[in-house]
């Protein structure tokens, strides 16, 4: 792989007597070496250089393949490219694990185990418009996150994402359970070889909430949401994490009573007398705002926060509790569907609140990033478990699942996105440190 940069920025290691006698060139070399030493404190040099700048990935990452095709160079530069806008294209190489090789798959997302007859939904990859998005390379990822930690903060879709990552990483190593509680909603896993920790924090509303009625008006529970109060189950736990991915959305469809200052300010379909019925968006926006306020208020938290955007469901021919299902077997093209209605509203609330929080946090040194999976997942009606989350003869009360994602399945692409973002984060850190050193020496040169 070649890194795109100006020829004027080439380091003068060629045998040129004139350059070798130039003090400025000596200074440039010295500053660069100092910079690399500083960066290595955050990224091991082998990981940074090999994983970010000159990484080659095989055309087929599968270690089980007996025929190795020539390596393909992946050109990665810091030039702007929207990796979240694109199409799903055929990928005959996939998937990169199976339901029999990964123990981390939740039963309700183990579609192949429970008889899903088609497999074409496993043979797609995300292709951004105008650039490449490499397939997730587990060895590369583990090298970049060596000695670091990553937390998934949210609901069962966040847990779905963590399990997908564990399965993708299983080609290199399985983690050990280092959870501090037997509660399955708060798991911690450690990759001993890399001293890398994964964690999941259950918080379906991101703010303090309590189930007030297990049945509620729709038999899905009635929840009290304290829209101005932090959920300390996770806000008191993330100080030491290097990366935190927050997400929420689907639980806001349920009946809720909204509180602010411990006073009821409205509800969503609670059917209480003299309580104003408010739209779902009212509670969702305030909950997001409070979650961001919590992150920006943590003095000791120095990590990078990523907002993973809303993952649309794909119920057709009825609502989730009225016979709706998702039986499609191929992705949509981008011109075959569009984000609209409630999905559009939830997504826009996320974008608006993220921009506000990112601006507010920047002044305090906080780093907020957008992991924008919405468009990609909108195009994957074929990737849900549907009825293949249990045996047909089982007496279960589960509905067709068009919210979560089969494993393996489309959600594996979220790790493709995340790895690319971490690579760019490394390049961004490199730029920032280099510019600081040049600034302190009276220079003002930008790395490209």
């Amino acid at each position: 792989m070649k890194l795109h940069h100006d020829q004027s920025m080439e380091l003068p290691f060629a045998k040129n007597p004139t350059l070798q006698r130039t003090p400025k060139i000596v200074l440039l070399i010295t500053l660069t070496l100092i910079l690399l030493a500083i960066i290595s404190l955050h990224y091991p040099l082998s990981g940074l250089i090999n994983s970010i700048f000159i990484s080659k990935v095989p055309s087929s990452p599968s270690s089980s393949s007996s025929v190795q095709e020539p390596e393909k160079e992946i050109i990665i530069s810091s030039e702007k490219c929207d990796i979240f806008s694109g199409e799903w294209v055929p990928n005959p190489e996939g998937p990169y694990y199976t339901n029999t090789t990964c123990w981390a798959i939740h039963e309700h997302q183990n579609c192949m185990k429970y008889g899903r007859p088609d497999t074409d939904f496993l043979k797609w990859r995300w292709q951004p418009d105008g650039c490449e998005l490499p397939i997730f390379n587990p060895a590369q990822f583990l090298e970049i996150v060596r000695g670091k930690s990553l937390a998934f903060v949210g609901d069962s879709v966040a847990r779905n994402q963590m399990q997908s990552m564990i399965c993708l990483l299983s080609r290199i190593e399985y983690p050990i359970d280092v959870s501090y509680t037997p509660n399955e909603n708060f798991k911690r896993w450690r990759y001993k070889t890399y001293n890398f920790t994964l964690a999941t924090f259950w918080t379906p509303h991101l703010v303090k909430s309590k189930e007030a009625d297990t049945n509620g008006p729709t038999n899905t529970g009635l929840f009290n949401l304290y829209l101005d109060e932090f959920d300390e189950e996770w806000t008191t736990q993330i100080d030491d994490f290097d990366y935190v991915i927050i997400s929420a959305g689907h639980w806001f469809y349920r009946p809720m009573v909204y509180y602010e200052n411990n006073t009821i300010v409205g509800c969503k379909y609670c059917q209480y007398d003299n309580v104003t019925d408010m739209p779902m968006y009212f509670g969702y926006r305030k909950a997001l705002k409070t979650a961001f306020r919590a992150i920006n208020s943590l003095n000791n938290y120095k990590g990078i926060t990523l907002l993973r955007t809303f993952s649309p469901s794909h119920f057709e021919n009825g609502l989730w509790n009225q016979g709706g299902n998702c039986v499609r077997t191929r992705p949509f093209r981008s011109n075959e569907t569009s984000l609209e209605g409630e999905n559009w509203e939830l997504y826009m609330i996320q974008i608006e609140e993220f921009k506000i929080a990112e601006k507010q946090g920047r002044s305090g040194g906080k780093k907020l990033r957008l992991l924008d999976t919405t468009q990609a997942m909108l195009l994957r009606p074929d990737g849900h478990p549907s009825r293949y989350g249990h045996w047909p003869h089982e007496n279960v009360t589960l509905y067709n699942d068009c919210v979560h994602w089969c494993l393996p399945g489309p959600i594996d692409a979220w790790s493709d996105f995340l790895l690319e973002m971490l690579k760019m984060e490394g390049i961004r850190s490199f730029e920032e440190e280099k510019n600081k050193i040049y600034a302190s020496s009276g220079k003002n040169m930008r790395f490209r």
Side-chain angles (χ1 to χ4, degrees), residues 99-249:
N99 67 305
T100 61
T101 63
C102 181
W103 50 254
I105 301 175
H106 194 286
E107 288 295 282
H108 296 156
Q109 283 89 57
N110 199 337
C111 305
M112 305 313 294
K113 174 180 176 178
Y114 291 111
R116 177 160 178 165
D118 60 307
T119 59
D120 286 350
F121 76 101
L122 302 173
K123 304 288 185 179
W124 300 88
R125 66 175 178 86
W126 182 249
Q127 173 64 61
D129 297 328
C131 62
E132 289 294 324
L133 179 66
I135 293 293
F136 183 78
N137 184 323
Q140 189 179 73
F141 177 84
L142 285 169
E143 195 62 53
I144 289 177
V145 298
R146 181 185 290 274
K148 297 183 181 296
S149 53
L150 167 64
F152 295 92
V153 174
D155 55 20
S156 54
V157 180
R159 184 173 60 224
N160 201 178
Q161 182 180 8
M162 184 188 75
Q163 291 162 341
S164 165
M165 176 170 285
I166 290 175
C167 289
L168 289 166
L169 294 175
S170 67
R171 287 180 287 157
I172 303 297
E173 184 176 326
Y174 275 114
I176 59 172
D177 191 337
V178 292
S179 303
Y180 59 91
T181 171
N183 189 337
E184 290 294 315
N185 289 326
F186 300 90
K187 298 293 292 184
R188 292 200 186 205
W189 304 95
R190 177 168 296 138
Y191 291 80
K192 293 181 65 176
T193 304
Y194 297 87
N195 190 25
F196 170 57
T197 300
L198 279 179
T200 180
F201 294 98
W202 175 259
T203 175
H205 301 107
L206 296 179
V207 295
K208 180 181 175 181
S209 64
K210 182 174 68 173
E211 190 170 23
D213 183 348
T214 56
N215 291 317
T218 61
N219 294 318
T220 58
L222 174 66
F223 293 83
N224 293 341
L225 263 65
Y226 302 89
L227 297 174
D228 55 348
E229 295 188 41
F230 301 165
D231 180 357
E232 295 185 351
E233 292 278 16
W234 68 271
T235 60
T236 60
Q237 298 286 323
I238 66 168
D239 273 354
D240 296 329
F241 280 84
D242 297 286
Y243 309 103
V244 174
I245 301 177
I246 66 171
S247 57

Side-chain angles (χ1 to χ4, degrees), residues 370-390:
L370 195 67
L371 178 55
D372 193 346
T373 60
T374 301
Q375 177 65 16
M377 304 319 286
L378 174 69
L379 303 181
R380 291 308 303 269
D382 58 324
H384 299 288
S386 179
R387 65 181 182 274
Y388 300 109
H390 56 84

Side-chain angles (χ1 to χ4, degrees), residues 392-411:
H393 63 270
E394 285 186 279
N395 183 21
V396 295
T397 57
L398 297 175
Y399 295 92
N400 295 323
D401 186 351
C402 302
V403 173
H404 302 95
W405 301 94
C406 292
L407 292 178
I411 194 173

Side-chain angles (χ1 to χ4, degrees), residues 215-347:
N215 291 317
T218 61
N219 294 318
T220 58
L222 174 66
F223 293 83
N224 293 341
L225 263 65
Y226 302 89
L227 297 174
D228 55 348
E229 295 188 41
F230 301 165
D231 180 357
E232 295 185 351
E233 292 278 16
W234 68 271
T235 60
T236 60
Q237 298 286 323
I238 66 168
D239 273 354
D240 296 329
F241 280 84
D242 297 286
Y243 309 103
V244 174
I245 301 177
I246 66 171
S247 57
H250 292 286
W251 280 65
F252 286 81
Y253 284 93
R254 303 187 182 205
M256 291 173 286
V257 181
Y258 300 129
Y259 286 79
E260 289 185 279
N261 295 318
N262 284 315
T263 302
I264 294 177
V265 294
C267 77
K268 176 187 177 294
Y269 198 62
C270 66
Q271 298 185 345
Y272 283 2
D273 293 336
N274 301 319
V275 176
T276 303
D277 197 69
M278 308 288 284
M280 168 181 58
Y281 316 123
F282 171 83
Y284 189 58
R285 183 182 294 277
K286 285 182 175 289
L288 266 182
K289 194 182 294 290
T290 297
F292 281 130
R293 179 165 56 86
I295 290 169
N296 284 336
S297 70
L298 296 175
N299 294 328
N300 296 325
Y301 172 60
K302 307 300 180 185
I304 297 173
T305 304
L306 299 98
L307 172 66
R308 196 265 300 154
T309 60
F310 187 65
S311 173
S313 61
H314 290 92
F315 291 100
E316 295 186 68
N317 301 315
L319 300 177
W320 64 272
N321 58 349
Q322 296 176 3
N325 205 352
C326 40
V327 296
R328 294 180 185 266
T329 57
R330 71 166 186 86
F332 287 125
R333 298 286 296 176
S334 61
N335 62 358
E336 292 178 323
T337 188
S338 60
L339 200 65
E340 57 189 16
E342 291 178 337
N343 288 333
W344 170 259
E345 292 292 341
L346 290 173
Y347 176 72

